Amino acid sequence: MVFLSFPELFEKKNYELRIAGGAVRDLLSGMTPQDIDFATTATPAEMKEMFTSAGVRLINNKGEKHGTITARLHEQNFEITTLRIDVVTDGRHAEVEFTTDWEKDAERRDLTVNSMFLGLDGMLYDFFNGYEDLKNKKIRFVGKASERIQEDYLRILRYLRFYGRIAEKPGDHEPSTLQTIKENAKGLAGISGERIWVELKKILLGNHVNHLIRLMYELDIAQYIGLPLDGNLEELDRVTKSIQNLCPKPMTVLSSLFKVKDDVTNLDLRLKISKEEKNLGLFLVKHRQELTKAMGPEPLRPYQDFIMDSREANTNSKICELLKYQGEEHLLREMQQWTVPSFPVSGHDLRKMGVSSGKEIGTTLQQLRDEWKKSGYHMDKEELLSCLKKL
């Protein structure tokens, strides 16, 4: 049997197939898309039959009732979705029916820059001026903003996320769009914490973070997504300026809003963040003020001492996030190159020196550890053991 490429399978059956949504946006921006989604006039049943008879493996991704089939070809997964119209929406999920009308499908997408299709021959299908908006770095809802938002309130955060990704400068919004977002912000109360956290993390790693978080407060979004009611916007300003090129974790940026550790706990209650994210937030709120660089020749010492005294795993990575938070770029580079030294003396060494009781070994090791710490962790086994004779 001659193996056909999967576009040829569609062509042979006269089904239309085009690249859809985010991949088109990325390609037109000169970026490599992370994954390519396809749209087609073929129904899921027609695709299943076509792929199965061509011997193409299908992956069951539970997407079928929404019209998505995942085919596995050349070690890659391809997601192909039937054109569809939303019939019923409840602000979270949609019930769909299938269509062969490309414009009807584009109409139910969130933003103009995400509503384009690209034929495999390079022809662009753009029903809502998405390409113009992309070139002008404008973020706009498809059709009426209020309708798009009420279909799925998470689109409020998607608007902000793509603004941070595409817009050139902060504050370049259509006033009517912001007004509509404000009027609908309460709808976010009904969206699951997990979905919100996925969007919020992407916003925190994009551009114009400071501007977008301020908007969340101005447009009454903050209270519905777990942010503190009186977030520390001045601290956010300071941190976002100095952290820009340091690749922080989302939580590191967000922690600048928190004044007390309850702010972290409340965020967790609403968004169900991971244990690691929660611990990082609590760590930063607790230590950002008092754990700072030393004056003199060894500015890193307080951080190194903290790591050496800590009994927890991943303290090192938390300290690196703290240095980013504090905008200490040079110290961060040094810290990333520093390896945690291991204490050179063991109980076995002490027994050989004639220290026998367990209790005594314990106290002696602690005393030697203190000496070793004072030396900046430079003393080796011999120096420490000769120190023991003095002790």
Side-chain angles (χ1 to χ4, degrees), residues 303-354:
Y303 302 100
Q304 291 165 329
D305 288 351
F306 189 94
I307 290 173
M308 297 304 293
D309 295 344
S310 159
R311 293 277 177 264
E312 284 176 40
N314 85 357
T315 300
N316 208 321
S317 108
K318 286 188 202 150
I319 289 287
C320 285
E321 292 305 306
L322 175 62
L323 286 166
K324 293 174 193 177
Y325 184 99
Q326 295 169 336
E328 298 287 1
E329 187 167 355
H330 294 298
L331 294 186
L332 174 66
R333 302 272 169 270
E334 268 182 66
M335 192 69 196
Q336 286 164 337
Q337 274 147 27
W338 183 68
T339 41
V340 180
S342 53
F343 182 54
V345 178
S346 67
H348 183 66
D349 298 320
L350 297 187
R351 276 196 201 86
K352 281 204 279 195
M353 306 269 303

Side-chain angles (χ1 to χ4, degrees), residues 237-389:
D237 277 0
R238 194 189 63 71
V239 169
T240 46
K241 278 192 188 79
S242 59
I243 210 167
Q244 266 168 350
N245 307 317
L246 304 182
C247 306
K249 292 181 176 173
M251 196 60 184
T252 305
V253 182
L254 193 57
S255 294
S256 60
L257 279 180
F258 305 144
K259 294 178 179 171
V260 289
K261 66 174 203 265
D262 277 0
D263 291 342
V264 184
T265 320
N266 291 333
L267 180 88
D268 179 40
L269 286 172
R270 174 67 180 99
L271 302 186
K272 304 183 179 53
I273 61 182
S274 74
K275 201 168 169 185
E276 187 195 330
E277 289 163 336
K278 183 181 182 178
N279 287 340
L280 176 58
L282 292 169
F283 177 86
L284 292 169
V285 170
K286 185 174 175 185
H287 296 291
R288 60 190 168 188
Q289 297 296 318
E290 99 282 357
L291 181 47
T292 52
K293 64 180 169 193
M295 303 318 278
E298 293 188 283
L300 259 192
R301 259 311 271 291
Y303 302 100
Q304 291 165 329
D305 288 351
F306 189 94
I307 290 173
M308 297 304 293
D309 295 344
S310 159
R311 293 277 177 264
E312 284 176 40
N314 85 357
T315 300
N316 208 321
S317 108
K318 286 188 202 150
I319 289 287
C320 285
E321 292 305 306
L322 175 62
L323 286 166
K324 293 174 193 177
Y325 184 99
Q326 295 169 336
E328 298 287 1
E329 187 167 355
H330 294 298
L331 294 186
L332 174 66
R333 302 272 169 270
E334 268 182 66
M335 192 69 196
Q336 286 164 337
Q337 274 147 27
W338 183 68
T339 41
V340 180
S342 53
F343 182 54
V345 178
S346 67
H348 183 66
D349 298 320
L350 297 187
R351 276 196 201 86
K352 281 204 279 195
M353 306 269 303
V355 184
S356 55
S357 90
K359 192 173 177 201
E360 206 183 334
I361 286 178
T363 21
T364 312
L365 279 175
Q366 193 47 57
Q367 286 173 314
L368 290 180
R369 238 191 130 83
D370 293 341
E371 289 299 317
W372 181 58
K373 185 175 172 178
K374 276 183 214 155
S375 78
Y377 315 106
H378 295 308
M379 289 170 86
D380 62 17
K381 186 192 284 204
E382 265 136 52
E383 292 172 296
L384 284 165
L385 291 177
S386 67
C387 190
L388 175 64
K389 290 167 188 153

Side-chain angles (χ1 to χ4, degrees), residues 74-87:
H74 315 301
E75 306 301 306
Q76 263 186 313
N77 289 355
F78 292 96
E79 283 199 357
I80 308 137
T81 304
T82 306
L83 298 181
R84 54 204 181 163
I85 306 169
D86 293 340
V87 192

